[in-house]
Amino acid sequence: MSADTPVKDDPAAATGGPRGRSIPPWLRRLADVNEVWTFGVLVLLVVFFTAARPSTFLTSYDVTQIATNAAIYLVLAVGMTYVIIVAGIDLSVGSVLVLSAVLSAEYTIHHGGAKAGWGTIAVSTVIALVTGLVWGAMQGWLVAKAKVPPLIVTLGGFGAALGIAEIITGGQDPTGAVSNHLQHAIGFGKLFGQIPWLVVIAFATTLVFGLVLAFTRFGRYTYAIGSNPEAARRVGINVDRHLVKVYALVGLLSGLGSVMWLAYFGTTSIAGHATDNLTVITAVVLGGASLFGGRGSVLGTLIGVFIPAVLSTGLIIMGVQQYWQDVAIGVVLVAAVYLDQFRRRGRERA
Amino acid sequence: MSADTPVKDDPAAATGGPRGRSIPPWLRRLADVNEVWTFGVLVLLVVFFTAARPSTFLTSYDVTQIATNAAIYLVLAVGMTYVIIVAGIDLSVGSVLVLSAVLSAEYTIHHGGAKAGWGTIAVSTVIALVTGLVWGAMQGWLVAKAKVPPLIVTLGGFGAALGIAEIITGGQDPTGAVSNHLQHAIGFGKLFGQIPWLVVIAFATTLVFGLVLAFTRFGRYTYAIGSNPEAARRVGINVDRHLVKVYALVGLLSGLGSVMWLAYFGTTSIAGHATDNLTVITAVVLGGASLFGGRGSVLGTLIGVFIPAVLSTGLIIMGVQQYWQDVAIGVVLVAAVYLDQFRRRGRERA
Amino acid sequence: MTDPLLEARKVTKRYGHVHALQGADFTAYPGEVVALIGDNGAGKSTLVKTLSGTIRPDEGEVLVDGKPVQLGSPLDARKYGIETVYQDLALAQDLDAAANLHLGRELYRGGLLGRLGVLDRAAMRRSAVAAFRELGVDLRDVGVPVAALSGGQKQSVAVARAVVFANRIIFMDEPTAALGVVQRGRVLDTIKRVRDRGIAVVLISHNMPEVLSVADRVEVLRLGSRVARLTAADTTVEELVGAMTGALDAAGKEGAA
Amino acid sequence: MTDPLLEARKVTKRYGHVHALQGADFTAYPGEVVALIGDNGAGKSTLVKTLSGTIRPDEGEVLVDGKPVQLGSPLDARKYGIETVYQDLALAQDLDAAANLHLGRELYRGGLLGRLGVLDRAAMRRSAVAAFRELGVDLRDVGVPVAALSGGQKQSVAVARAVVFANRIIFMDEPTAALGVVQRGRVLDTIKRVRDRGIAVVLISHNMPEVLSVADRVEVLRLGSRVARLTAADTTVEELVGAMTGALDAAGKEGAA
Amino acid sequence: ACGGGSSGSGSKSLEMITGVKSDPFYITMACAAQQEAKKRGVKLTVNGSAQWDVAVQRPIIDSVAAKHPSGLLISPVDTAALTPSLNQMQNAGTKIVLVDTTVSDASIGVSRISSDNVAGGRAAAKALAKLMGDKGSAIVISVKPGVSTTDERTKGFDEEMKANHPNITLLPVLYDNDLPATAASQIQSTLAAHPDLGGVFAGNTNTAQGISTGLQAAGKQGKVKVAAFDAEPDEVTSLKTGTLDVLVAQDPARIGTEGVDQALAAIDKKKVTASIGTDMVAITKANLDSASVGKYLYKDAC
Ligand SMILES: Nc1ncnc2c1ncn2[C@@H]1O[C@H](COP(=O)(O)OP(=O)(O)OP(=O)(O)O)[C@@H](O)[C@H]1O
Ligand SMILES: Nc1ncnc2c1ncn2[C@@H]1O[C@H](COP(=O)(O)OP(=O)(O)OP(=O)(O)O)[C@@H](O)[C@H]1O
Ligand SMILES: [Mg+2]
Ligand SMILES: [Mg+2]
């Protein structure tokens, strides 16, 4: 046997140029974008419900309603996206929200209560934010420095934060926890009389932290650490400090969530946040993040928050009986991610 | 510069023989065993509570009580250990338990109710086990074949199983769900009048599946898949089938748990299993398993189940105020794992 | 020469718009060492994975003993007697060397226990120690997870695994890249020994002297397709490099990329 | 000769009862290529990790410019101008090649955006493409996560990262193991070029001809300690292998393991 | 804050185990019991399950049993499942008083003091129907199925509506899993589907918070009438400001006080009342300030 002549040579492939197939290249590129498929599911749901109940679902009334009710979860989920990308998890969000709410409510109660002015509102808001930030940073420190698995740290934090909130209040939601000004201006107020302030705050938060994740060093380090913490450490990234920051961020956003909660519900709802963590984690995973870290996006999370929200609203509007709703939501969640899986199969990583 | 003579040569090190340091080698080997540290924490807790309340804590009465109350969680946790080692997660255990209990209760109700004989008991037990097995296998199929992340599959399964149970029962625990025979013989009966049957069943299950995990091919494949699923696939392990089996196993054990539940509590408790998943996952992680897969053991899980059980019993016996209990449990959980972390730091993997 | 044991025809594999394989051909005969060489990114590992059932090609045909076969999974490939040392080693990092060596082919205890699937760890450890000694590897502690092994030790585990169970065809994707001088020599000896048992050995390597010293035949891959088939005895390193980089045919042919 | 730039004295590192390093010494001078060789498991990578601040030794001393320093983290090491190509590459698999190349040393946009930490992705991509071209690597699609790259392409990313930012000392732990012939040549050229800039290059390799062709000096590690220091020009492959395996001193000395 | 008194006097010790420790109803009950115990010079320690869950309550009972208290006040979360544990305690000499909820085994407990949740549901239905002008749709949003107290409230509500207010359309029950946020979105979705919605019955405090917020955000506050269970301070404020329209108040304080009294009577071998029923009132803005209603308002904290 001796040297053959080249069997084949295709310069187009070498330069990576698109090749003529029936699907136009821009569409194939688009289908490669992680969020497109999940977004497709969301659109499908909206279309389905609109077709089924054209007179009630998705009138302008409903869209802002859904968005308002999802606003607080969205804020928490944005923080959770960072934590999950960094291969962590935070079960404590709901309790941290409660603790922040309680501490800020205590201040309000002693400084004017329901009739408190903007000065009190400002201080109590700062208290809520700082509480969340400090609690989150503490958890981050335990994860990063003490190397305790995040599940345990934040589960412990979940119990401890709730316990402290209950000790402070005696377990009852205190009265006069929120200034009426705050409730009217932020809780039920609307920007230009159109968009509820809660939605504005949530989307602004989403936008800012979405951009930070996608375009800044902070975001890049978040992906790098989630992808390979040891590699990140070896290239000189201060992994521990970054972890503390990420957990502090989700704490801060829980604090922000507590302010939004107080403004909207007018009470601390100590007993009403036991399953926030699962709701929020589900949204992030629905949005394409991997619990093993390194993958995920804020845009995906945004969609992931809205899929269950639209779904449960739609099912109620369609008059589906409650127990069947549980079944239907379970099935749709799995189906939604199953669709997404086709995309991933397309570009499998061996 | 030319060749030096060897600077040093130590044959002992080359043969891996133990070297004389102050700590005897068997102790160092023992400290290397994963479970020893966690067990130390458990012992510490027991010693502390016994010292604090010598007249009440850890009389023979209490040990079997704690074990009985932990028995059902232990059975679930044994299954969860497999799932977590295989880098999965199962949020559905509590709902699967409810669904199994409801289906078996329905049979009992129509075949003698509270007065049903052993024939009915046998059939209803089989129904419970098969329900769990089938549901688990179905979830396993979705994880393995449809490649939907286990968090989503089992969260969907959690809602769907509970929904179906509620549809069947109308949301209320049916009466006559359990035969009195079963309750008296298994729920309250004791082996040799000493050890409650529930404890016997739970420990037998633990032993069997602990041995399977440690010594058989099934266990070996579980670790291999959790460690590197692609490698397992490449060496010819049927990864998908194994995953289905693992999820089916945890389903089966949920079914077994439902039988134990019915025997012990005499009711289906539809509303009472929302947080079983977290309880059980916590136990497994406390026991040293990693959520990233590949690590964990049934022995560790056993200890992990008992740490929170002993803790909450001890705190109540000491008369700690209830909200402080939440705080204390949170702190101890984190501290327990923090101690364990010293061991791991000792043999860091670069 | 005898009939080919394994043949790949016009195998294509795309990842997004990267064409890892574009109509690649490959042939292996029994009882020969065939080297598969090519530049980085030429598609060698992709081809190996295709022929080991690890990935499915988009197009193309694979023949074993002249008959078209479907390699849907590594299990299928193993049925045809195909063993592989993967470039990324494919080890379970949390298991020790002996467990990795026998992964998928565990040894069982005798009697009832064995039928229940109880592993014979001692036997597996013994056979592992023997296998490693044969490859000249000193593992110091055979009980540690392979994650803790040195680069060369890890590679030895992967090589030993394939060699021990070699049956009809063995693919070795850069099996010596991380090995020390002695271990490399042992592996090359082993390759020859295996070949002499009538097994087809497919060796991928970037070390041209090594290729020429051990291979009977060389196939060259470039940009995802086979560009040359050479007899090792008749070739020089320069010729091989020329074929891989396209310098040769650029001289001989107009317009090649 | 000038004073040593980096010196390690009696460095010890134990893992359980495996003694990866037992009193290892090492010296690197500015403007030289020193090869660190040794059998598989001799402790080379462990020594490199120790001197890059990645792991802490149990005992021993590290001196930079003759002054004892504490290398508590890779960040410390970098402060002394130490760059490293790790044997396991240490890449973030989910990020693309350009992101990995600049990891920890991102380029920022101009103006306010830059001060807010906004990355200049286009610039990073451009500089990455340039770096890869210099190493002769064809990445086809620079936007894919490095997990999808071929073995050689991955290694090129790791090498490029260290070379681009080389400052005073560069450790290269088997940088050419997965590279093709052309790329290997480019890396060796690069090593020489870097050396000529006065940087100390520490090359670990199992390829003895490669070592002799590029190194000025060779240090040999065996069972976790330095057993020989040789001038490359005065040595042969046989001598090196002898020193690594202990064959030489077994002949000269009684009772060596 | 409520909770364990520090130093007990004498040999008498009381223990209390509530159904859900974070429930305002139980908190008020526990506070009152604690005050009464203090007055009587005995030590009372309060524990409660984190969820309405026998598996959570049973270990608590067993742990408390190990302390051999002289008396136990308990709100069992299941009518059957806890009988064995309680039996064991009773046989060991502990006097058991069942507060709020009961068990079906009549031999357990020296006294039973309970509020009638079915009657409470009826009261809510009556008051709500009146405010709705006996027309439109009404819906119950409850915590979750399988919780006996809230299930009974729903049952009473349904019975009353079906029996006496045929003009009101009853929509299927929704469950919010005790999450105000879920309740808020559920009520808005229901409004969209049923614009004629006139009244809502909230199964507990959390649900009420969510519903009133949801209505407020939808601008339907006042148009849709809301009846809620319990009368914790926060809810009373809402009643005053008009976000809630009816509160069905039980009398947790009396249950707690009576519970302590009965337990101590049993321990001292004095006369014990075997069964005590407590009242419930429907509080509206109209009767809020009347003296007879004041005592039903729950305490903020003890
Ligand atoms: N999973 C994947 N996704 C996307 N591209 C891939 C994937 N796997 C391989 N590729 C691309 O396909 C081409 C061929 O890769 P392959 O690993 O087969 O090369 P190779 O010949 O083995 O190279 P090396 O000598 O470096 O190992 C490369 O350009 C690589 O980037
Ligand atoms: N994290 C660890 N835990 C336990 N043992 C380890 C660990 N890291 C290295 N070792 C052991 O230390 C010894 C030296 O390993 P090292 O990686 O330094 O070898 P090396 O000289 O780089 O070998 P190679 O040429 O194969 O890369 C080996 O026996 C290895 O098994
Ligand atoms: Mg390759
Ligand atoms: Mg090495």
Side-chain angles (χ1 to χ4, degrees), chain A residues 82-106:
Chain A
Y82 279 79
V83 174
I84 287 183
I85 290 176
V86 91
I89 198 157
D90 191 344
L91 299 178
S92 73
V93 284
S95 290
V96 175
L97 191 155
V98 168
L99 181 63
S100 302
V102 162
L103 289 182
S104 97
E106 287 295 316

PDB file of all heavy atoms in Angstrom, chain A residues 82-106:
ATOM      1  N   TYR A  82     -27.448  33.339  40.149  1.00  0.00           N
ATOM      2  CA  TYR A  82     -26.012  33.444  40.435  1.00  0.00           C
ATOM      3  C   TYR A  82     -25.549  32.273  41.306  1.00  0.00           C
ATOM      4  O   TYR A  82     -24.524  31.655  41.044  1.00  0.00           O
ATOM      5  CB  TYR A  82     -25.710  34.761  41.161  1.00  0.00           C
ATOM      6  CG  TYR A  82     -25.605  35.961  40.267  1.00  0.00           C
ATOM      7  CD1 TYR A  82     -26.746  36.594  39.788  1.00  0.00           C
ATOM      8  CD2 TYR A  82     -24.375  36.474  39.911  1.00  0.00           C
ATOM      9  CE1 TYR A  82     -26.646  37.714  38.972  1.00  0.00           C
ATOM     10  CE2 TYR A  82     -24.265  37.597  39.096  1.00  0.00           C
ATOM     11  CZ  TYR A  82     -25.409  38.208  38.634  1.00  0.00           C
ATOM     12  OH  TYR A  82     -25.307  39.301  37.823  1.00  0.00           O
ATOM     13  N   VAL A  83     -26.319  31.994  42.352  1.00  0.00           N
ATOM     14  CA  VAL A  83     -25.896  30.948  43.287  1.00  0.00           C
ATOM     15  C   VAL A  83     -25.831  29.598  42.582  1.00  0.00           C
ATOM     16  O   VAL A  83     -24.905  28.819  42.786  1.00  0.00           O
ATOM     17  CB  VAL A  83     -26.855  30.871  44.491  1.00  0.00           C
ATOM     18  CG1 VAL A  83     -26.506  29.689  45.377  1.00  0.00           C
ATOM     19  CG2 VAL A  83     -26.786  32.143  45.296  1.00  0.00           C
ATOM     20  N   ILE A  84     -26.819  29.337  41.738  1.00  0.00           N
ATOM     21  CA  ILE A  84     -26.841  28.036  41.072  1.00  0.00           C
ATOM     22  C   ILE A  84     -25.746  27.946  40.017  1.00  0.00           C
ATOM     23  O   ILE A  84     -25.116  26.903  39.853  1.00  0.00           O
ATOM     24  CB  ILE A  84     -28.247  27.750  40.507  1.00  0.00           C
ATOM     25  CG1 ILE A  84     -29.177  27.436  41.679  1.00  0.00           C
ATOM     26  CG2 ILE A  84     -28.227  26.602  39.508  1.00  0.00           C
ATOM     27  CD1 ILE A  84     -30.573  27.070  41.303  1.00  0.00           C
ATOM     28  N   ILE A  85     -25.486  29.039  39.313  1.00  0.00           N
ATOM     29  CA  ILE A  85     -24.408  29.010  38.319  1.00  0.00           C
ATOM     30  C   ILE A  85     -23.079  28.724  39.012  1.00  0.00           C
ATOM     31  O   ILE A  85     -22.218  28.026  38.492  1.00  0.00           O
ATOM     32  CB  ILE A  85     -24.338  30.334  37.537  1.00  0.00           C
ATOM     33  CG1 ILE A  85     -25.545  30.448  36.624  1.00  0.00           C
ATOM     34  CG2 ILE A  85     -23.049  30.423  36.724  1.00  0.00           C
ATOM     35  CD1 ILE A  85     -25.627  31.749  35.885  1.00  0.00           C
ATOM     36  N   VAL A  86     -22.936  29.221  40.230  1.00  0.00           N
ATOM     37  CA  VAL A  86     -21.691  29.024  40.947  1.00  0.00           C
ATOM     38  C   VAL A  86     -21.681  27.643  41.629  1.00  0.00           C
ATOM     39  O   VAL A  86     -20.829  27.343  42.466  1.00  0.00           O
ATOM     40  CB  VAL A  86     -21.488  30.212  41.907  1.00  0.00           C
ATOM     41  CG1 VAL A  86     -22.066  29.969  43.270  1.00  0.00           C
ATOM     42  CG2 VAL A  86     -20.045  30.631  41.978  1.00  0.00           C
ATOM     43  N   ALA A  87     -22.623  26.778  41.228  1.00  0.00           N
ATOM     44  CA  ALA A  87     -22.728  25.400  41.729  1.00  0.00           C
ATOM     45  C   ALA A  87     -23.134  25.332  43.193  1.00  0.00           C
ATOM     46  O   ALA A  87     -22.832  24.372  43.874  1.00  0.00           O
ATOM     47  CB  ALA A  87     -21.445  24.601  41.494  1.00  0.00           C
ATOM     48  N   GLY A  88     -23.822  26.364  43.649  1.00  0.00           N
ATOM     49  CA  GLY A  88     -24.339  26.350  45.018  1.00  0.00           C
ATOM     50  C   GLY A  88     -25.843  26.197  45.017  1.00  0.00           C
ATOM     51  O   GLY A  88     -26.458  25.857  43.997  1.00  0.00           O
ATOM     52  N   ILE A  89     -26.436  26.424  46.174  1.00  0.00           N
ATOM     53  CA  ILE A  89     -27.885  26.419  46.267  1.00  0.00           C
ATOM     54  C   ILE A  89     -28.215  27.252  47.490  1.00  0.00           C
ATOM     55  O   ILE A  89     -27.407  27.367  48.411  1.00  0.00           O
ATOM     56  CB  ILE A  89     -28.431  24.975  46.383  1.00  0.00           C
ATOM     57  CG1 ILE A  89     -29.904  24.933  46.044  1.00  0.00           C
ATOM     58  CG2 ILE A  89     -28.173  24.397  47.767  1.00  0.00           C
ATOM     59  CD1 ILE A  89     -30.369  23.559  45.611  1.00  0.00           C
ATOM     60  N   ASP A  90     -29.371  27.900  47.502  1.00  0.00           N
ATOM     61  CA  ASP A  90     -29.749  28.681  48.670  1.00  0.00           C
ATOM     62  C   ASP A  90     -31.180  28.354  49.063  1.00  0.00           C
ATOM     63  O   ASP A  90     -32.131  28.768  48.409  1.00  0.00           O
ATOM     64  CB  ASP A  90     -29.595  30.177  48.403  1.00  0.00           C
ATOM     65  CG  ASP A  90     -29.722  30.982  49.695  1.00  0.00           C
ATOM     66  OD1 ASP A  90     -30.218  30.418  50.698  1.00  0.00           O
ATOM     67  OD2 ASP A  90     -29.314  32.145  49.715  1.00  0.00           O
ATOM     68  N   LEU A  91     -31.306  27.564  50.125  1.00  0.00           N
ATOM     69  CA  LEU A  91     -32.645  27.205  50.603  1.00  0.00           C
ATOM     70  C   LEU A  91     -33.207  28.265  51.539  1.00  0.00           C
ATOM     71  O   LEU A  91     -34.365  28.185  51.936  1.00  0.00           O
ATOM     72  CB  LEU A  91     -32.587  25.870  51.357  1.00  0.00           C
ATOM     73  CG  LEU A  91     -32.127  24.667  50.560  1.00  0.00           C
ATOM     74  CD1 LEU A  91     -32.079  23.430  51.452  1.00  0.00           C
ATOM     75  CD2 LEU A  91     -33.056  24.405  49.396  1.00  0.00           C
ATOM     76  N   SER A  92     -32.396  29.251  51.887  1.00  0.00           N
ATOM     77  CA  SER A  92     -32.793  30.156  52.969  1.00  0.00           C
ATOM     78  C   SER A  92     -33.566  31.378  52.505  1.00  0.00           C
ATOM     79  O   SER A  92     -34.026  32.152  53.339  1.00  0.00           O
ATOM     80  CB  SER A  92     -31.547  30.614  53.728  1.00  0.00           C
ATOM     81  OG  SER A  92     -30.821  31.541  52.941  1.00  0.00           O
ATOM     82  N   VAL A  93     -33.727  31.562  51.188  1.00  0.00           N
ATOM     83  CA  VAL A  93     -34.274  32.833  50.705  1.00  0.00           C
ATOM     84  C   VAL A  93     -35.567  33.251  51.411  1.00  0.00           C
ATOM     85  O   VAL A  93     -35.718  34.402  51.820  1.00  0.00           O
ATOM     86  CB  VAL A  93     -34.490  32.849  49.172  1.00  0.00           C
ATOM     87  CG1 VAL A  93     -33.178  33.026  48.459  1.00  0.00           C
ATOM     88  CG2 VAL A  93     -35.183  31.586  48.700  1.00  0.00           C
ATOM     89  N   GLY A  94     -36.499  32.326  51.555  1.00  0.00           N
ATOM     90  CA  GLY A  94     -37.778  32.685  52.163  1.00  0.00           C
ATOM     91  C   GLY A  94     -37.615  33.170  53.595  1.00  0.00           C
ATOM     92  O   GLY A  94     -38.206  34.182  53.990  1.00  0.00           O
ATOM     93  N   SER A  95     -36.797  32.479  54.365  1.00  0.00           N
ATOM     94  CA  SER A  95     -36.609  32.878  55.756  1.00  0.00           C
ATOM     95  C   SER A  95     -35.845  34.188  55.871  1.00  0.00           C
ATOM     96  O   SER A  95     -36.113  34.990  56.767  1.00  0.00           O
ATOM     97  CB  SER A  95     -35.841  31.800  56.512  1.00  0.00           C
ATOM     98  OG  SER A  95     -36.622  30.670  56.673  1.00  0.00           O
ATOM     99  N   VAL A  96     -34.883  34.377  54.984  1.00  0.00           N
ATOM    100  CA  VAL A  96     -34.134  35.629  55.028  1.00  0.00           C
ATOM    101  C   VAL A  96     -35.073  36.783  54.696  1.00  0.00           C
ATOM    102  O   VAL A  96     -35.015  37.852  55.315  1.00  0.00           O
ATOM    103  CB  VAL A  96     -32.940  35.576  54.056  1.00  0.00           C
ATOM    104  CG1 VAL A  96     -32.238  36.915  54.000  1.00  0.00           C
ATOM    105  CG2 VAL A  96     -31.968  34.495  54.480  1.00  0.00           C
ATOM    106  N   LEU A  97     -35.967  36.539  53.750  1.00  0.00           N
ATOM    107  CA  LEU A  97     -36.978  37.551  53.439  1.00  0.00           C
ATOM    108  C   LEU A  97     -37.797  37.873  54.700  1.00  0.00           C
ATOM    109  O   LEU A  97     -38.010  39.039  55.039  1.00  0.00           O
ATOM    110  CB  LEU A  97     -37.876  37.026  52.314  1.00  0.00           C
ATOM    111  CG  LEU A  97     -38.843  37.986  51.641  1.00  0.00           C
ATOM    112  CD1 LEU A  97     -39.168  37.502  50.235  1.00  0.00           C
ATOM    113  CD2 LEU A  97     -40.134  38.145  52.416  1.00  0.00           C
ATOM    114  N   VAL A  98     -38.213  36.843  55.401  1.00  0.00           N
ATOM    115  CA  VAL A  98     -39.019  37.059  56.603  1.00  0.00           C
ATOM    116  C   VAL A  98     -38.219  37.824  57.654  1.00  0.00           C
ATOM    117  O   VAL A  98     -38.708  38.795  58.241  1.00  0.00           O
ATOM    118  CB  VAL A  98     -39.500  35.705  57.175  1.00  0.00           C
ATOM    119  CG1 VAL A  98     -40.080  35.887  58.569  1.00  0.00           C
ATOM    120  CG2 VAL A  98     -40.527  35.078  56.262  1.00  0.00           C
ATOM    121  N   LEU A  99     -36.976  37.397  57.870  1.00  0.00           N
ATOM    122  CA  LEU A  99     -36.169  38.073  58.893  1.00  0.00           C
ATOM    123  C   LEU A  99     -35.969  39.545  58.540  1.00  0.00           C
ATOM    124  O   LEU A  99     -36.113  40.431  59.390  1.00  0.00           O
ATOM    125  CB  LEU A  99     -34.820  37.363  59.030  1.00  0.00           C
ATOM    126  CG  LEU A  99     -33.875  37.946  60.090  1.00  0.00           C
ATOM    127  CD1 LEU A  99     -34.484  37.832  61.478  1.00  0.00           C
ATOM    128  CD2 LEU A  99     -32.519  37.257  60.050  1.00  0.00           C
ATOM    129  N   SER A 100     -35.655  39.818  57.280  1.00  0.00           N
ATOM    130  CA  SER A 100     -35.479  41.206  56.857  1.00  0.00           C
ATOM    131  C   SER A 100     -36.767  41.989  57.065  1.00  0.00           C
ATOM    132  O   SER A 100     -36.754  43.124  57.553  1.00  0.00           O
ATOM    133  CB  SER A 100     -35.097  41.269  55.373  1.00  0.00           C
ATOM    134  OG  SER A 100     -33.927  40.553  55.128  1.00  0.00           O
ATOM    135  N   ALA A 101     -37.875  41.370  56.686  1.00  0.00           N
ATOM    136  CA  ALA A 101     -39.169  42.037  56.836  1.00  0.00           C
ATOM    137  C   ALA A 101     -39.443  42.339  58.302  1.00  0.00           C
ATOM    138  O   ALA A 101     -39.887  43.440  58.652  1.00  0.00           O
ATOM    139  CB  ALA A 101     -40.280  41.174  56.253  1.00  0.00           C
ATOM    140  N   VAL A 102     -39.155  41.378  59.159  1.00  0.00           N
ATOM    141  CA  VAL A 102     -39.453  41.559  60.582  1.00  0.00           C
ATOM    142  C   VAL A 102     -38.583  42.669  61.176  1.00  0.00           C
ATOM    143  O   VAL A 102     -39.082  43.546  61.900  1.00  0.00           O
ATOM    144  CB  VAL A 102     -39.239  40.230  61.334  1.00  0.00           C
ATOM    145  CG1 VAL A 102     -39.110  40.464  62.824  1.00  0.00           C
ATOM    146  CG2 VAL A 102     -40.384  39.277  61.036  1.00  0.00           C
ATOM    147  N   LEU A 103     -37.296  42.649  60.841  1.00  0.00           N
ATOM    148  CA  LEU A 103     -36.433  43.677  61.423  1.00  0.00           C
ATOM    149  C   LEU A 103     -36.836  45.063  60.931  1.00  0.00           C
ATOM    150  O   LEU A 103     -36.881  46.017  61.712  1.00  0.00           O
ATOM    151  CB  LEU A 103     -34.968  43.379  61.086  1.00  0.00           C
ATOM    152  CG  LEU A 103     -34.384  42.178  61.823  1.00  0.00           C
ATOM    153  CD1 LEU A 103     -32.917  41.989  61.476  1.00  0.00           C
ATOM    154  CD2 LEU A 103     -34.537  42.339  63.329  1.00  0.00           C
ATOM    155  N   SER A 104     -37.133  45.168  59.640  1.00  0.00           N
ATOM    156  CA  SER A 104     -37.515  46.488  59.157  1.00  0.00           C
ATOM    157  C   SER A 104     -38.876  46.874  59.729  1.00  0.00           C
ATOM    158  O   SER A 104     -39.116  48.038  60.055  1.00  0.00           O
ATOM    159  CB  SER A 104     -37.487  46.526  57.627  1.00  0.00           C
ATOM    160  OG  SER A 104     -38.757  46.311  57.088  1.00  0.00           O
ATOM    161  N   ALA A 105     -39.767  45.898  59.923  1.00  0.00           N
ATOM    162  CA  ALA A 105     -41.074  46.195  60.509  1.00  0.00           C
ATOM    163  C   ALA A 105     -40.919  46.683  61.942  1.00  0.00           C
ATOM    164  O   ALA A 105     -41.603  47.626  62.370  1.00  0.00           O
ATOM    165  CB  ALA A 105     -41.957  44.942  60.481  1.00  0.00           C
ATOM    166  N   GLU A 106     -39.994  46.070  62.684  1.00  0.00           N
ATOM    167  CA  GLU A 106     -39.793  46.506  64.066  1.00  0.00           C
ATOM    168  C   GLU A 106     -39.407  47.985  64.117  1.00  0.00           C
ATOM    169  O   GLU A 106     -39.865  48.735  64.975  1.00  0.00           O
ATOM    170  CB  GLU A 106     -38.702  45.657  64.740  1.00  0.00           C
ATOM    171  CG  GLU A 106     -39.131  44.239  65.079  1.00  0.00           C
ATOM    172  CD  GLU A 106     -40.245  44.192  66.124  1.00  0.00           C
ATOM    173  OE1 GLU A 106     -40.165  44.937  67.110  1.00  0.00           O
ATOM    174  OE2 GLU A 106     -41.206  43.416  65.926  1.00  0.00           O
TER     175      GLU A 106
END
